[in-house]
Amino acid sequence: MSFTLEAPLAYKILDNYFENVSYVKGVEASEADKSVFAALTEGPSAEAYPHLARWYAHIAAVQGLITKEAAAAPAAAAAEEDDEDLDLFGSDDEEVDEEAEKVKAQRIAEYNAKKAGKPKTIAKTNVTLDVKPWDDETDMDALTAAVKSIQMDGLIWGGSQLVAIGYGIKKLQINCVVEDDKVSLDDDLCAAIADFEDYVQSVDVAAMQKV
């Protein structure tokens, strides 16, 4: 059974329908699309019915009635009309748009100011150092005092202990917390400890953990 769609109301209903779907049913062109296409007495106006015009041009191209280039024109016109109708601030009035831009700029400025005012997260690392003396005659109390005398911005010393490593020799195992952006373990801290050449044979990072 054939039928025709002529009433503007029918065109309007179809235009609303194709605003959110690409085909009459399913995800590809079917006999249902061909039937509705054949029922339209003439091609819909892209200005009056942008979504229907897009579908109509596509189905025409699928059936080989027009070229793909020609089919793209109504779709482009429909998309352009949609862009022209899109009003992010509820009005096309130029004066209202300027006001909206001012509000937008103010909110962005407030957001940036709020973000800038938030305290920056400080990355810290909990470090355990092994400081080895030259021999069993090294004054470990003096070694410990020398190490703890090192003062740096971003460095906090913690507890320490002497750990036997054999042949009567003990190493200093000492904890500290460093701010990653301020203190480099190798270039700053370990190098500073190694400078105590009278006491220190070597210094190694035994363990480290982000705080």
Side-chain angles (χ1 to χ4, degrees):
M1 182 180 68
S2 62
F3 62 97
T4 59
L5 296 171
E6 299 180 358
L9 178 59
Y11 276 58
K12 183 63 177 177
I13 292 173
L14 288 172
D15 185 63
N16 291 338
Y17 178 75
F18 286 117
E19 181 177 0
N20 299 312
V21 300
S22 298
Y23 302 101
V24 173
K25 62 180 180 179
V27 294
E28 59 183 17
S30 64
E31 290 299 324
D33 291 278
K34 294 180 181 179
S35 297
V36 175
F37 180 89
L40 297 175
T41 56
E42 60 182 14
S45 166
E47 182 178 352
Y49 311 105
H51 308 296
L52 178 59
R54 182 195 67 239
W55 168 86
Y56 186 90
H58 176 62
I59 299 303
V62 169
Q63 297 184 89
L65 299 178
I66 60 174
T67 64
K68 290 184 178 180
E69 290 77 7
E80 183 177 352
E81 182 170 336
D82 286 345
D83 290 340
E84 291 176 354
D85 290 341
L86 180 61
D87 181 8
L88 298 178
F89 300 104
S91 173
D92 290 329
D93 184 80
E94 183 177 351
E95 189 173 323
V96 176
D97 284 347
E98 290 180 358
E99 184 64 28
E101 286 297 326
K102 291 181 181 178
V103 173
K104 180 180 177 182
Q106 181 180 354
R107 289 178 178 174
I108 292 175
E110 291 174 352
Y111 171 79
N112 291 335
K114 183 177 180 181
K115 185 177 180 180
K118 296 179 82 173
K120 181 181 178 182
T121 300
I122 300 176
K124 296 181 180 180
T125 303
N126 194 353
V127 183
T128 300
L129 298 172
D130 280 348
V131 184
K132 296 178 182 178
W134 287 107
D135 51 38
D136 60 343
E137 295 183 0
T138 301
D139 187 339
M140 297 304 294
D141 290 337
L143 186 153
T144 301
V147 171
K148 288 189 174 182
S149 70
I150 297 173
Q151 300 295 319
M152 295 181 181
D153 184 22
L155 169 66
I156 300 177
W157 290 112
S160 64
Q161 61 179 341
L162 299 179
V163 180
I165 57 177
Y167 302 101
I169 301 175
K170 295 182 179 180
K171 67 180 178 180
L172 170 65
Q173 192 169 77
I174 186 168
N175 297 320
C176 63
V177 176
V178 298
E179 292 185 24
D180 298 347
D181 290 341
K182 295 181 178 180
V183 180
S184 169
L185 288 179
D186 293 330
D187 297 337
D188 296 334
L189 186 55
C190 290
I193 295 174
D195 283 343
F196 295 109
E197 298 177 352
D198 292 341
Y199 306 113
V200 178
Q201 179 193 63
S202 65
V203 55
D204 300 300
V205 177
M208 55 191 302
Q209 182 178 8
K210 294 296 181 182
V211 178

